[in-house]
Amino acid sequence: MTLQMAYQNAYASLGPDLSEDAEFDLSCLFEHIFGAPRRAPGNSAREADSAKLAAFNALAARYKAGEPLQYLLGMWEFYGLPFEVGPGVLIPRPDTETLVETALRLLKGTAAPAVADLCAGSGCIGLAAAANLPNARVLLGEYDEEALKICRQNIRRNRLTARVASLKIDAREKPARTLGEFQFLVSNPPYIPSADIDTLDASVREHEPRLALDGGAD
């Protein structure tokens, strides 16, 4: 089977009720597995490796079942930086980049700001701030162990271990030890009322962590 046929068969397997993003998403999965763009010259003649073909078809089936593209890829870009993502953390979204932009604007001119990112999840907000503020010291606080693990992987991936620390913190409680002073706090906490969780898109409701979504009764 050629690479072109592999993509065409996978796309047909998604069925008639496709989202407007399906072609882009499947193309991302194709490139992730085969290491070449879907429309690369020669795909109509190049034979698909059997192991890679099986892996691609498996991802296409998981995508059809509603699993988010970002989790299938295991990586996603946020504010120009690479982030590992998985079911333990919210998927970084472009809307959240406005929070980073606001932080950078407000901290402009501060010589060596200390920034705390609470409910850090993947660490995308605090790490984006650190990457764009060369003299900043950033603390990423996260309560969930799985999210904290991914957060720490992203600190290393973005080579910011010298200026970014991570700590298990429940943002609702006073820290168990003194953390120092901070000029700026950023956070994307759970803010969706519990009663609204069931109205969310299925891909969010069924796959992203409820702990990071459910803001309680009010």
Side-chain angles (χ1 to χ4, degrees):
M1 179 181 294
T2 66
L3 292 181
Q4 185 179 62
M5 292 172 60
Y7 176 86
Q8 291 172 342
N9 288 349
Y11 188 80
S13 74
L14 298 180
D17 300 322
L18 298 176
S19 73
E20 60 183 18
D21 297 323
E23 183 175 355
F24 170 80
D25 292 350
L26 194 61
S27 295
C28 289
L29 296 176
F30 180 94
E31 186 167 351
H32 175 65
I33 294 297
F34 293 110
R38 176 172 73 85
R39 300 184 185 277
N43 282 357
S44 59
R46 180 181 164 194
E47 287 292 314
D49 175 83
S50 59
K52 291 182 178 181
L53 178 61
F56 175 58
N57 288 335
L59 288 182
R62 290 167 62 186
Y63 177 78
K64 180 181 179 180
E67 196 165 341
L69 169 68
Q70 294 86 345
Y71 290 167
L72 295 174
L73 294 173
M75 295 289 302
W76 201 243
E77 183 180 291
F78 178 86
Y79 217 78
L81 301 175
F83 286 90
E84 294 186 27
V85 293
V89 296
L90 286 182
I91 295 167
R93 290 176 167 83
D95 286 352
T96 309
E97 292 186 351
T98 59
L99 181 53
V100 177
E101 291 167 357
T102 300
L104 295 179
R105 184 176 70 251
L106 293 174
L107 287 168
K108 185 177 181 180
T110 305
V115 180
D117 176 4
L118 301 180
C119 307
S122 66
C124 63
I125 297 171
L127 287 169
N132 287 275
L133 295 167
N135 297 317
R137 174 177 64 87
V138 177
L139 174 66
L140 304 178
E142 172 55 50
Y143 178 70
D144 181 73
E145 292 286 359
E146 180 60 26
L148 192 59
K149 178 181 176 181
I150 294 174
C151 181
R152 287 168 174 164
Q153 291 170 345
N154 284 323
I155 296 174
R156 294 189 290 271
R157 174 170 292 278
N158 286 284
R159 300 179 181 179
L160 287 166
T161 54
R163 296 189 292 112
V164 179
S166 60
L167 192 65
K168 183 171 182 176
I169 295 176
D170 186 338
R172 301 164 296 184
E173 304 290 339
K174 181 180 178 180
R177 61 185 177 87
T178 301
L179 302 178
E181 294 185 356
F182 296 90
Q183 281 76 47
F184 209 76
L185 302 178
V186 293
S187 184
N188 183 26
Y191 60 82
I192 299 172
S194 301
D196 293 347
I197 294 293
D198 289 340
T199 68
L200 297 176
D201 184 85
S203 65
V204 177
R205 184 179 68 248
E206 297 174 6
H207 295 280
E208 297 194 58
R210 184 171 183 130
L211 182 65
L213 296 168
D214 193 337
D218 63 358

